[in-house]
Amino acid sequence: MRLLLMSNGSAPGGEYLAHAMSTLRELLAGVDRIAFIAYAQLGLEEHTRVVAAAMAQLDVELVGVHRSHRPASIVEAADAVFVGGGNAFRLLAALHRYDLIDPIRAAVRDGAPYLGSSAGTNMACPSLRTTNDMPIVEPPTFAALNLVPFQINPHYPATEVMGRHLGETRDHRIAEFLEENDVPVLGLQEGSWLQVDHDRARLGGVAGARLFRREEAPVDLKVGADLSDLLTTLGTFDSPGRGCDDRGTR
Amino acid sequence: MRLLLMSNGSAPGGEYLAHAMSTLRELLAGVDRIAFIAYAQLGLEEHTRVVAAAMAQLDVELVGVHRSHRPASIVEAADAVFVGGGNAFRLLAALHRYDLIDPIRAAVRDGAPYLGSSAGTNMACPSLRTTNDMPIVEPPTFAALNLVPFQINPHYPATEVMGRHLGETRDHRIAEFLEENDVPVLGLQEGSWLQVDHDRARLGGVAGARLFRREEAPVDLKVGADLSDLLTTLGTFDSPGRGCDDRGTR
């Protein structure tokens, strides 16, 4: 599998995808057509136009899967898949509604590069559970594409004060996730990405990341960090009722 | 129905529940026992202790529903219900798991005051869809207690710059909700609450609120604002596929 899982679409202050262009060019060598999944945003055509314009110099054709009555057929006919950002709940609901989960997984396992940005990066994880987005629609399940065995939190704040979400910091929110689930969470700062090439994973881009594990101190990571070990993670998503003496009758 | 729906547990910088004590005293006149629902947090006993200590001066008994093998029995035996804050997904999952939805609704309809703080305020709405929390566990449905026919967003930032959530402002997130659902959203600043007394609703506390409706400019509200009209709202929760020319095959 080859994955490029971007925190978001740009480096802070930069143009859309400009920070990733040389990496995209390398990853997409030999690719003629990319299936683009725009469902995270309301305006599907506008979203597709913006991404197509940013990728124009790469000499690839970007086709929105929403253009077909059977969106999976666009995935099946493409050489790569790009899932754009927006609202992760809206996106996951659409992936299930249009029966795109299995076709995307099959394409990626057969060698098609998977590019994700923000909500599109959330989708590569086992679950939606570490999105920052508001649950504006209700997907049939939180289960996502499960291309990697750990969770990613996109838009991870570079300085904690910026992540204060009135009430809670981002780190507090991720700590709550780890109370319920024993699965590592990679917080990707804006401008950073995780690149996976078969059994190798590496932090790329122009910003860092922070790795959270249950009952361990978080670890700050710099561009170039080798994260291949994460690909063999054996995590456990728990129901809320995992053992805890303080939980009364649970 | 009598509801006290607090944005959070305290005024900025104040002690837990101190800002609401005189209102609580009035609302709880004649109440001997409050069923406390602590499930939004991991430590059920600690959560209950904190709230009981804050309410000690009110001369009411606070009983955690988690103390019973049948949590609903505590609700049924109490004169009021208090749902505390924490993670709204964890809370809603527990309300469904312990079959508390119908017993709470019945108690409140029979006259028991309902007190909610943060996630507990989210629960009084038709749906979880305007929580700020991370979806760390998966509830069986987003449907909540539906005690009021509109949505509340707690911890609504007093100044927009504070609400920037790396990527999106709070207002942007609420706008996304309104793209998918035609239901008003009341953003309650920290320290504010909505008090409902049968067919009357009024903004209380020490801070303001902002009311959002689809295709209307948001309206800023001050303490004392009469929001009774909201109680007769006829909103519509839409699936992501509501009509839009730009949505391709949807």
Side-chain angles (χ1 to χ4, degrees):
Chain A
M1 288 199 300
R2 289 180 296 159
L3 319 174
L4 186 68
L5 306 177
M6 295 180 277
S7 172
N8 63 319
S10 61
E15 302 238 332
Y16 188 70
L17 292 184
H19 68 314
M21 206 47 73
S22 66
T23 300
L24 286 169
R25 192 181 303 276
E26 194 176 351
L27 185 61
L28 297 175
V31 165
D32 291 323
R33 182 189 279 203
I34 301 178
F36 182 66
I37 294 176
Y39 295 123
Q41 295 184 23
L42 191 66
L44 300 174
E45 282 296 309
E46 186 189 341
H47 190 184
T48 307
R49 273 194 299 275
V50 167
V51 176
M55 298 182 78
Q57 61 185 279
L58 293 177
D59 195 30
V60 290
E61 186 189 6
L62 197 81
V63 184
V65 302
H66 62 279
R67 286 289 188 89
S68 169
H69 285 282
R70 199 172 77 79
S73 66
I74 307 272
V75 172
E76 289 155 5
D79 312 304
V81 177
F82 189 161
V83 183
N87 184 287
F89 290 88
R90 175 153 57 193
L91 172 57
L92 184 59
L95 293 186
H96 285 287
R97 186 180 332 111
Y98 298 124
D99 295 323
L100 281 164
I101 299 283
D102 289 339
I104 294 171
R105 285 172 55 83
V108 175
R109 287 181 168 178
D110 287 350
Y114 177 97
L115 320 177
S117 169
S118 189
T121 286
N122 281 127
M123 292 305 107
C125 301
S127 163
L128 186 64
R129 295 184 187 206
T130 51
T131 178
N132 306 306
D133 294 342
M134 190 172 269
I136 60 171
V137 299
E138 185 172 341
T141 161
F142 286 1
L145 292 167
N146 197 26
L147 301 177
V148 294
F150 53 91
Q151 290 290 125
I152 294 175
N153 177 249
H155 303 282
Y156 182 77
T159 55
E160 191 42 68
V161 65
M162 289 183 68
R164 191 169 186 276
H165 187 65
L166 275 180
E168 295 163 350
T169 63
R170 184 73 60 89
D171 284 12
H172 180 83
R173 300 158 78 78
I174 293 172
E176 277 189 342
F177 170 84
L178 290 172
E179 286 176 354
E180 299 288 347
N181 309 281
D182 189 4
V183 178
V185 180
L186 182 65
L188 284 178
Q189 288 177 21
E190 296 194 341
S192 75
W193 62 69
L194 183 72
Q195 187 165 9
V196 176
D197 188 356
H198 301 92
D199 59 349
R200 309 295 296 169
R202 184 178 166 279
L203 189 65
V206 297
R210 183 175 284 179
L211 181 61
F212 301 81
R213 293 178 190 270
R214 180 184 275 187
E215 286 162 18
E216 293 183 19
V219 178
D220 287 316
L221 302 166
K222 291 186 175 163
V223 173
D226 186 330
L227 291 167
S228 304
D229 286 354
L230 276 180
L231 298 175
T232 53
T233 293
L234 289 174
T236 312
F237 288 89
D238 284 11
S239 74
R242 73 181 181 85
C244 174
D245 287 337
D246 199 9
R247 305 197 91 180
T249 63
R250 288 189 176 187
Chain B
M1 287 200 301
R2 289 180 297 160
L3 318 174
L4 186 68
L5 306 177
M6 296 180 278
S7 172
N8 63 319
S10 61
E15 301 237 334
Y16 188 70
L17 293 183
H19 69 313
M21 206 48 73
S22 67
T23 300
L24 286 169
R25 194 181 302 277
E26 193 177 353
L27 185 61
L28 297 175
V31 164
D32 291 322
R33 182 189 279 202
I34 302 178
F36 182 65
I37 295 175
Y39 295 123
Q41 295 183 23
L42 190 67
L44 299 175
E45 283 295 309
E46 186 190 340
H47 190 185
T48 306
R49 274 194 299 274
V50 167
V51 175
M55 299 182 79
Q57 62 185 277
L58 293 178
D59 196 30
V60 292
E61 187 189 6
L62 196 80
V63 184
V65 302
H66 61 279
R67 286 288 189 90
S68 169
H69 286 282
R70 200 173 77 77
S73 66
I74 307 271
V75 172
E76 288 155 5
D79 312 305
V81 178
F82 189 160
V83 184
N87 184 286
F89 289 88
R90 176 153 57 192
L91 173 57
L92 184 59
L95 293 186
H96 285 287
R97 187 179 332 110
Y98 298 125
D99 295 323
L100 281 164
I101 299 281
D102 288 340
I104 294 172
R105 286 173 54 84
V108 175
R109 286 183 169 177
D110 286 350
Y114 178 98
L115 319 177
S117 169
S118 190
T121 286
N122 281 127
M123 291 306 107
C125 302
S127 162
L128 187 63
R129 294 186 188 205
T130 51
T131 178
N132 307 305
D133 294 342
M134 191 172 268
I136 60 171
V137 299
E138 184 172 342
T141 161
F142 286 0
L145 292 166
N146 198 25
L147 301 176
V148 294
F150 53 91
Q151 291 292 124
I152 293 176
N153 177 250
H155 303 282
Y156 181 78
T159 56
E160 189 44 67
V161 66
M162 289 183 67
R164 190 167 186 277
H165 187 65
L166 276 179
E168 295 163 349
T169 63
R170 184 73 61 89
D171 284 12
H172 179 85
R173 298 159 78 79
I174 293 173
E176 277 188 342
F177 170 83
L178 291 172
E179 285 177 354
E180 298 288 347
N181 309 280
D182 189 5
V183 178
V185 180
L186 182 64
L188 283 178
Q189 289 177 20
E190 296 195 341
S192 75
W193 61 69
L194 183 73
Q195 187 164 9
V196 176
D197 188 356
H198 299 91
D199 59 348
R200 309 294 295 169
R202 183 178 166 279
L203 189 64
V206 298
R210 184 175 284 178
L211 181 61
F212 301 82
R213 292 178 190 271
R214 182 184 274 187
E215 285 162 18
E216 293 183 19
V219 178
D220 287 317
L221 302 166
K222 291 186 176 162
V223 174
D226 186 331
L227 292 168
S228 305
D229 285 353
L230 275 180
L231 298 175
T232 53
T233 293
L234 290 174
T236 312
F237 288 90
D238 282 12
S239 74
R242 72 183 180 84
C244 174
D245 287 339
D246 200 9
R247 304 198 90 181
T249 62
R250 287 188 175 188

